[in-house]
Amino acid sequence: MNESGTGTKSEALHRPLATAIWLLVPVLLLGAAIWWLVATDPLSAFRNGAPPVESLTVERTILDNDGLRMLVRAGGSESMRIAQIQVDAAYWEFVQTPPGPIARGSTAWITIPFPWIVGEGHSVTFVTNTGATFDHPIPVAVATPVATSGNLVAQAVLGAFVGILPVVIGLAFYPALRNAGPTVIDFLLALTIGLLGFLLVDTLEDAFEFAGEAAAIFQGPTMVVLTAGASFLLLMAIARRRGVPTGVSLAAYIALGIGLHNLGEGLAIGAAFAAGAAGLGTFLVIGFTLHNITEGIGIAAPILKVRPPLHVFAGLALLAGGPAVLGMWLGSLAYAPHWSALALSIGAGAILQVIVEVVALLVRSDRTWARIASLPVLSGIAFGVVFMYVTAMLVKI
Amino acid sequence: MRRWLPIDFGRRSFLGGGLLTAAAAVVSGRSASGQPAGHAGHGAASAPGEAPPSPHRQAHGAMITVGDVDDVRNGFDPTAMLTDWYTGEVSTLPDGRRLRTFEVYVEDKEIEIAPGVMFPAWTYNGRVPGPALRAVEGEKLRIVFKNYGSHPHTMHFHGIHAARMDGIPGAGQIDPGEEFVYEFDARPFGCHLYHCHALPLARHIHKGMYGLFIIDPDPTRHPDFADVARSRLLGTPENAVWQEMAMVMNAFDTTFDGENEFYAVNTVAHCYAKKPIRVERHRPVRIYLANVTEFDPINSFHLHANFFDYYNQGTTLTPTLKTVDLIVQCQAERGILEFTFADHEPGLYMFHAHQSEFTELGWMGMFEVVEAVS
Ligand SMILES: [Cu+2]
């Protein structure tokens, strides 16, 4: 007994110690492996005299009275050095801050006193010390807007116009639809699925496009897929915490998904301003507004029988449209393609989550998949996709 | 989202849609119609806070490469190259003729062709262009050629010689570690060049395997123009009056895509723009000029504020072109330029290729005319 008593005691003492030791073993093994790699340099056998792989990404371009300023990010296998810079096939003096080699993954500002010409195109070529070149076109040279409180307000107005207003207009159909029968509700829910399906494809496409412009080190496409997947799973988990979302909460999730999509939209518009492409046309804004009205109807669809108070509508409109304003500010102040890709990926995941929930709602209300194959549902999906597609033509040049 | 960016469509029509830009004006809060005042001209482009630009800097403003090339690391200096004639070892053959022997070796070498830009070159005697070989008409020439490089190479001379001495695959091409002796007579007199003729030809040439090959005329063979011949013959008092320079127009394709990133005379982009070539006002100038620019069919030489006489290929003692300020040379074309600044005021006189693109990519230099070179 005595023995067993002390045995239990020493066991209780020894177990954490043993665990600690067993934790130490793999850590030491890893340390030894790294030491061996550094000390013996087995990679030397693979070195064939080839120059290091270099890559350079321009993340921001600013045109002002002093010429061109660009934020570049170094990629590739080692740190790299910008030796010379051409603008329009001519060498120009430049100042790099901070000077010297740019470490892998880090950024530097390049200032070139180049007399750019408004409305014309220019091309910047970075020449590294190995003679490798990286081209960066400036399709239309326009002075980059300076972020002042005045034009932040102006951006907010435009953001509200393309983001919040169409959602409000869509929600304004609510009273007219309130007495709708189940067929109309089915049609509207299906319409929501169609519009979200379009937005999913559109958002992913744009996310991949931005990812392609981001520095290689961010592994763009992988980042997009992982982020979209993670945001989908996370939102599903949150949404289903208190059972399957319906009514106002489902409308809120739809608004959130659309809002994240609009955040990306705002980022792109803001970035366009930052890049000097300020010539956004009125018809583009109108096209966008028309395009986004469907979003409001989609948000209204699950709450037709709920009749929530007015402030809920205000909240939904703000949730769906407000991020457009936020995106425009962020985009014009600090723009880098990988941030846009990230925001759009989150949006894609959110949209997918809402599609799943709306489909679930449709199926659940009848407890049969047959309802999905009904005329109002199929026509609703088709109409949603086609309407979004056609109105997108207005803004796609 | 990208539809908001004007990249995907014709920018002319886009900007032209003035009535559609109302939203833009609202948002940007300022008109983008005017060019910033600071950008009226090249000269005004230096950034505030910089040291006052040197006079030759002003001529091209900020439009120049940044920094300096390490001539010591390169093992050659473009300014020294201008007057660095390789005259070899002279001896007398049993029949009384003069024999001139040159030693040339090949070496793989990383060279700095513009500040901070390294190029994996193949060189003759460790420099690009290779040594400017200089002989006298009628001499027997012997070029001992050694290949310390990593590829088979040759020396193909523009001159008159036997098939065995042509410096092409099968006639004077040697593998790494081998040696070959080229032998032929120095003729005709003129401004020639030599280059590697191993295959692939373009790669071997653009890697840096070329140089000037000058044969001075023998005054005794040209009694009608003995004075002219003597003025060209290195070592004579008549020749000593002249300020002679070797210039090879070349270019480098650092990305190996068939287009040059750097253009220069004697390899280093903008070298004579940053360090102008000093010439004495009262002494005439003679330039031995050759074009070995790869990937561009022609190159040119334009002198500011002056005109020159030109001897195409240098094989005549009278000019083939008189009073011109621009000549054009095809690849491997070469000639002699003669001019003077005697009637000019001291100062900086630019010379450059009159293909603007070449100028702006490094092929631009300055003569600094002074009363006396100290
Ligand atoms: Cu060769």
Side-chain angles (χ1 to χ4, degrees), chain A residues 186 244 359-372:
Chain A
D186 276 6
V244 180
V359 171
L361 180 70
L362 260 182
V363 173
R364 194 171 49 248
S365 55
D366 196 314
R367 300 189 190 286
T368 164
W369 282 92
R371 191 157 163 209
I372 291 287

Side-chain angles (χ1 to χ4, degrees), chain A residues 146-197:
Chain A
V146 182
T148 62
S149 57
N151 67 50
L152 285 183
V153 168
Q155 286 186 8
V157 170
L158 186 66
F161 199 90
V162 299
I164 300 173
L165 182 70
V167 177
V168 169
I169 293 173
L171 284 172
F173 283 101
Y174 182 84
L177 297 170
R178 206 167 38 193
N179 299 318
T183 310
V184 175
I185 291 179
D186 276 6
F187 174 82
L188 289 178
L189 286 173
L191 179 89
T192 308
I193 293 169
L195 95 93
L196 290 170

Side-chain angles (χ1 to χ4, degrees), chain A residues 350-382:
Chain A
I351 291 165
L352 185 60
Q353 177 246 340
V354 185
I355 292 175
V356 169
E357 294 298 8
V358 177
V359 171
L361 180 70
L362 260 182
V363 173
R364 194 171 49 248
S365 55
D366 196 314
R367 300 189 190 286
T368 164
W369 282 92
R371 191 157 163 209
I372 291 287
S374 70
L375 183 70
V377 169
L378 289 181
S379 65
I381 292 173

Side-chain angles (χ1 to χ4, degrees), chain A residues 65 84 90-93 113 118-119 129 131 133 139 151 206 209 213 265 268 272-273 277-282 288 395-396, chain B residues 1-6 11 14 20 24 26-27 32 36 39 45 57 62-66 115-116 118 254-255 261-262 360:
Chain A
N65 281 339
Q84 300 296 338
Y91 285 102
W92 284 86
E93 288 188 340
V118 71
N129 63 322
T133 57
N151 67 50
D206 290 330
E209 197 171 332
E213 285 171 31
E265 222 151 68
F273 285 130
L280 295 176
T282 306
F288 241 94
V395 290
K396 206 86 162 183
Chain B
M1 268 42 358
R2 307 297 284 150
R3 57 187 156 253
W4 285 97
L5 300 173
R11 62 189 173 84
F14 182 70
L20 305 173
V26 168
V27 171
H39 288 157
R57 256 282 268 102
M63 203 178 76
I64 198 160
T65 46
V66 180
M118 303 304 290
T254 60
T255 53
E261 275 70 40
F262 293 91
E360 298 189 334

Side-chain angles (χ1 to χ4, degrees), chain B residues 106 122 124 151-154 195-199 203-205 209:
Chain B
V106 176
W122 294 338
Y124 289 121
H151 290 256
H153 295 295
T154 80
H195 61 83
C196 181
H197 216 302
L199 302 177
R203 179 55 59 95
H204 280 253
I205 292 179
M209 305 198 73

Side-chain angles (χ1 to χ4, degrees), chain A:
Chain A
M1 307 297 142
N2 221 354
E3 225 179 285
S4 88
T6 47
T8 347
K9 215 174 177 187
S10 71
E11 242 174 62
L13 259 171
H14 280 121
R15 206 164 284 142
L17 192 66
T19 312
I21 289 169
W22 282 115
L23 259 176
L24 211 58
V25 170
V27 171
L28 284 176
L29 208 58
L30 176 68
I34 290 172
W35 173 83
W36 175 79
L37 197 67
V38 174
T40 62
D41 194 13
L43 295 176
S44 63
F46 300 102
R47 266 175 222 129
N48 52 6
V53 177
E54 295 172 299
S55 90
L56 191 75
T57 313
V58 176
E59 292 190 346
R60 296 196 76 187
T61 306
I62 294 173
L63 289 76
D64 60 21
N65 281 339
D66 297 327
L68 307 174
R69 277 193 300 137
M70 303 175 138
L71 182 67
V72 298
R73 190 182 292 274
S77 57
E78 289 170 28
S79 68
M80 61 188 294
R81 211 178 255 278
I82 296 171
Q84 300 296 338
I85 293 177
Q86 294 174 10
V87 187
D88 296 344
Y91 285 102
W92 284 86
E93 288 188 340
F94 67 94
V95 176
Q96 182 188 315
T97 329
I102 309 173
R104 173 176 149 81
S106 63
T107 57
W109 277 99
I110 303 290
T111 309
I112 312 167
F114 177 75
W116 52 271
I117 297 165
V118 71
E120 299 194 356
H122 294 291
S123 170
V124 180
T125 303
F126 299 86
V127 184
T128 73
N129 63 322
T130 63
T133 57
F134 297 93
D135 293 330
H136 178 72
I138 299 171
V140 189
V142 192
T144 307
V146 182
T148 62
S149 57
N151 67 50
L152 285 183
V153 168
Q155 286 186 8
V157 170
L158 186 66
F161 199 90
V162 299
I164 300 173
L165 182 70
V167 177
V168 169
I169 293 173
L171 284 172
F173 283 101
Y174 182 84
L177 297 170
R178 206 167 38 193
N179 299 318
T183 310
V184 175
I185 291 179
D186 276 6
F187 174 82
L188 289 178
L189 286 173
L191 179 89
T192 308
I193 293 169
L195 95 93
L196 290 170
F198 177 90
L199 289 186
L200 179 65
V201 173
D202 193 51
T203 306
L204 274 178
E205 186 193 333
D206 290 330
F208 281 117
E209 197 171 332
F210 278 114
E213 285 171 31
I217 198 164
F218 296 113
Q219 307 159 75
T222 313
M223 180 180 80
V224 170
V225 171
L226 290 181
T227 307
S231 96
F232 168 72
L233 292 173
L234 200 67
L235 285 166
M236 280 299 283
I238 294 170
R240 296 243 167 170
R241 223 166 11 131
R242 290 192 210 108
V244 180
T246 51
V248 174
S249 63
L250 182 58
Y253 283 113
I254 295 176
L256 179 68
I258 289 170
L260 284 165
H261 173 82
N262 284 343
L263 175 76
E265 222 151 68
L267 273 174
I269 303 169
F273 285 130
L280 295 176
T282 306
F283 89 110
L284 285 180
V285 175
I286 293 171
F288 241 94
T289 305
L290 201 57
H291 181 67
N292 289 356
I293 286 172
T294 336
E295 294 171 356
I297 299 176
I299 294 165
I303 48 174
L304 289 179
K305 295 292 167 219
V306 182
R307 309 198 177 188
L310 197 63
H311 72 265
V312 170
F313 288 97
L316 289 172
L318 216 58
L319 188 59
V325 178
L326 207 64
M328 282 188 70
W329 285 341
L330 288 175
S332 66
L333 290 174
Y335 163 68
H338 53 270
W339 293 120
S340 298
L342 199 68
L344 288 169
S345 312
I346 295 171
I351 291 165
L352 185 60
Q353 177 246 340
V354 185
I355 292 175
V356 169
E357 294 298 8
V358 177
V359 171
L361 180 70
L362 260 182
V363 173
R364 194 171 49 248
S365 55
D366 196 314
R367 300 189 190 286
T368 164
W369 282 92
R371 191 157 163 209
I372 291 287
S374 70
L375 183 70
V377 169
L378 289 181
S379 65
I381 292 173
F383 186 77
V385 174
V386 170
F387 182 79
M388 292 302 276
Y389 179 80
V390 171
T391 52
M393 283 177 173
L394 289 173
V395 290
K396 206 86 162 183
I397 308 290

